Amino acid sequence: MLYGELTAAERPDALSLGRALTGAVYEGLSLEREIVATQAQGLGDTVLIEGAGSDLDGLAVCHCGAGSEAGEDVCFVKFGAVRPGPDAGDRFERLLNACEQLATEKGLGQLDAGVNLARQDAYQRMADRGFRTWLQGVTMHRPNAPGYSHPDAYVIDDWR
């Protein structure tokens, strides 16, 4: 499901569910502004992976094509995350599938996504799908805490 396909009445609930999901990944983390801005500015869309009941299993804010940070013929996952806990790896696979589907539906030939190497399983799953490193960076956290860069986190992020 895509945020852009929701009605105006459904969007506040989706944002609230997204905030609960990202807050479970890292307390206080919210992508509400990015989701709304991406939609309002026509930069792309946000993939929403439905879970059991009314929860979200994952989300990914994606910029698509020329006029966005992605650039021509690229779908760029600005940030994505899945609900932590058992089966998070499987939820991550579903999120990657949905991002690939969005790129295909938009007619974009490339999907770009970044992951911190501390998230070893997430990195390996992306490498197994053919993702390759084209940029390496260093993140520094104060006070030297891992934040959401640890093996149990299934997060896609980019620090361009």
Side-chain angles (χ1 to χ4, degrees):
M1 161 175 46
L2 297 173
Y3 179 79
E5 295 174 345
L6 300 176
T7 66
E10 294 170 321
R11 288 181 177 180
D13 287 339
L15 293 173
S16 177
L17 291 170
R19 194 171 39 256
L21 170 83
T22 55
V25 171
Y26 186 75
E27 187 177 342
L29 179 62
S30 173
L31 297 203
E32 185 172 341
R33 287 183 180 176
E34 288 78 6
I35 293 169
V36 170
T38 297
Q39 189 64 39
Q41 296 174 30
L43 300 174
D45 212 331
T46 300
V47 172
L48 304 170
I49 305 297
E50 295 178 276
S54 61
D55 288 337
L56 281 182
D57 271 355
L59 63 81
V61 179
C62 300
H63 287 206
C64 298
S68 73
E69 284 186 67
E72 191 170 333
D73 200 36
V74 177
C75 178
F76 165 51
V77 183
K78 184 77 175 162
F79 189 93
V82 300
R83 185 169 39 84
D87 301 321
D90 293 336
R91 288 189 286 277
F92 190 67
E93 293 284 348
R94 288 177 48 216
L95 184 64
L96 292 172
N97 288 340
C99 292
E100 289 173 353
Q101 181 179 345
L102 175 63
T104 299
E105 288 174 359
K106 298 274 186 185
L108 302 170
Q110 182 175 324
L111 177 63
D112 282 354
V115 66
N116 187 296
L117 295 179
R119 302 179 212 127
Q120 296 167 357
D121 190 52
Y123 168 77
Q124 188 60 57
R125 289 170 186 265
M126 291 176 69
D128 290 347
R129 286 174 171 256
F131 284 88
R132 297 293 175 254
T133 301
W134 63 268
L135 172 72
Q136 287 187 334
V138 175
T139 61
M140 297 169 60
H141 304 269
R142 193 183 307 186
N144 198 25
Y148 51 79
S149 292
H150 54 82
D152 295 331
Y154 289 82
V155 174
I156 298 168
D157 58 353
D158 183 84
W159 295 91
R160 305 181 201 206

